[in-house]
Structure formats: structure tokens, C-alpha cells
Amino acid sequence: MGIQIAVLASGGGSNLQALLDAWRSRQFGEAEIVLVVSDKPGARALERGRAAGVTSIYLDPAGFSSREAYDRELAGQLSRRDISLVCLAGYLRILTPEFTRLFALRILNIHPALLPAFGGPGMFGSHVHDAVIVSGAKYSGCTVHFVDEGTDTGPIVLQSMVPVMDHDTPKTLAERVLVEEHRIYPRAVALFCENRLQVQGKRVRILEKA
Ligand code: GRF
């Protein structure tokens, strides 16, 4: 059995779709996407998962007394399916330290800026692009990184850069960045599946293909 992958998503799920497409076109070798989880009942991500024939479940935060209890249920759902890679794709809940420890170096996230800039608490969605434009930065981009106990602080796997244009709004910049997200996230997952990511402290070395 290859690596079993779960994707957690709260929203539109365009990154989930990029991962599903890459998997279906055999870019992940023997690895399989076997589960999609969302904390939002109407998330388009759930529809996308189901359309791809993947078990897609809504886990209602209201049914749990704490974040810890929620993440314990989540961890149970993942362990039951032998998940060894968790991909966050627009998942808006901060994972508990207990969860990130349990899946240490087995959780990837995509962030719509060039970390370590424009990350951290509150830096999600259009807030990120807005902050980039206000800062006057000439370039933005996206980052795939491992998730550790901090917010957007884990080891960086891949990044891609896009220019910030004078006329950009958060929406136009987000669209330009998203094209790159859809390109590098599947690539990072493929590298993980090929066991080519070697983490040394904060640095991730990409090993040559065996
Ligand atoms: C993306 O911009 C991603 O970087 C961020 O949330 C957004 C999710 O978009 N983490 P989608 O749901 O994948 O379309």
C-alpha cells in the first residue's frame, strides 16, 4: 500500500482540486488521496472530493467542547485510515500542538505569500494580499511548508514568486498567486511521496531522484 493522504479544507478547494488532478494523473506514484475533511458544511471542497470518489466528511466544530477534542477526533479519523500525509488546503483552523506533534513532518500547508514574510496569526485569505500590497513589496508568491507548532513557521519545502503590479488589488494578486499554488503544491506532495524531502532543522533539502 502506498502513502495514504488526507486533505483538510475549509473553502473553495481549488488547491484540493490541483492535488486530486495530480493524483489522478499518477503524479503521486502509489500514493492515494483517501480522505477529505472540512470544518465547513457547505465547503465546495467536499463536493470536489466526492466528485473524485474520495470519502469526504464534514466534522462540525460545534459538536466538540474544545479545539483539543476536535483535533483528537480528527486524529482518530486519520489514524483509522492509516494516513501518513496530511495536506492543508485552505484549512482555516489552527491545529493544536498535540495534533502537530502526532503528525510531525507529515503535515504540509500552502500559504499565499513568501514566508517567513506575511505569515502568522491573522494572515490568511485576502488579509495576506492586502498586507503585501500595502507594504509596497515588488514580489509576492506562495510557499509550501511543513506545519509545526507555530503559525506558518515550519520548514519551507517549495516557493514560487510572482510580481506585484501597480494596479493590483488583493483579488488580482490572489489570482496570480493561486496559479503558482496549483503548480507547486502537487509538486511538493510528489516530492514527499518519493521520499525526497530531507529536513535538517529549518532547511528542507530536496534529494535527487533515486
Ligand atoms: C489559498 O490561497 C491557500 O494558499 C490558502 O487558502 C487559499 C485556499 O484556496 N491557505 P482554495 O480553497 O484552495 O481555493
Side-chain angles (χ1 to χ4, degrees):
M1 189 171 75
I3 289 171
Q4 307 285 288
I5 304 172
V7 183
L8 312 187
S10 303
S14 70
N15 278 289
L16 163 67
Q17 191 64 57
L19 297 178
L20 290 168
D21 293 347
W23 166 50
R24 287 303 191 195
S25 59
R26 307 208 53 84
Q27 290 173 43
F28 301 159
E30 294 298 303
E32 285 179 87
I33 300 178
V34 296
L35 182 68
V36 173
V37 182
S38 183
D39 59 326
K40 296 281 189 308
R44 174 104 196 276
L46 290 171
E47 284 169 38
R48 291 183 192 267
R50 285 176 195 135
V54 177
T55 303
S56 300
I57 57 176
Y58 161 52
L59 208 52
D60 183 1
F64 299 87
S65 56
S66 63
R67 282 173 57 222
E68 286 71 20
Y70 187 89
D71 278 7
R72 268 197 292 277
E73 171 61 23
L74 184 59
Q77 294 279 353
L78 302 183
S79 301
R80 226 167 289 149
R81 292 175 175 86
D82 287 322
I83 300 295
S84 44
L85 175 63
V86 182
C87 295
L88 310 185
Y91 185 64
L92 292 176
R93 290 173 70 83
I94 303 284
L95 294 165
T96 54
E98 198 184 338
F99 186 95
T100 54
R101 274 199 292 270
L102 195 61
F103 286 90
L105 297 182
R106 292 186 297 151
I107 311 171
L108 290 173
N109 182 43
I110 178 98
H111 183 79
L114 295 173
L115 294 174
F118 305 107
M123 278 293 176
F124 61 90
S126 65
H127 300 295
V128 179
H129 305 295
D130 196 37
V132 169
I133 291 168
V134 168
S135 77
K138 297 292 186 197
Y139 290 92
S140 188
C142 51
T143 304
V144 180
H145 63 95
F146 282 108
V147 174
D148 64 10
E149 290 181 30
T151 305
D152 302 326
T153 53
I156 291 171
V157 178
L158 290 178
Q159 294 187 302
S160 183
M161 204 164 79
V162 304
V164 180
M165 309 293 198
D166 290 341
H167 56 265
D168 263 335
T169 62
K171 187 166 177 291
T172 58
L173 180 56
E175 284 166 3
R176 194 173 310 117
V177 170
L178 211 48
V179 173
E180 291 307 298
E181 294 185 36
H182 298 162
R183 197 174 64 77
I184 70 168
Y185 207 0
R187 176 90 194 110
V189 171
L191 289 169
F192 181 97
C193 294
E194 291 166 14
N195 204 16
R196 291 172 59 194
L197 301 178
Q198 190 183 70
V199 184
Q200 296 171 328
K202 279 285 203 184
R203 186 161 285 276
V204 179
R205 288 179 50 160
I206 297 175
L207 304 177
E208 291 296 322
K209 208 171 179 144

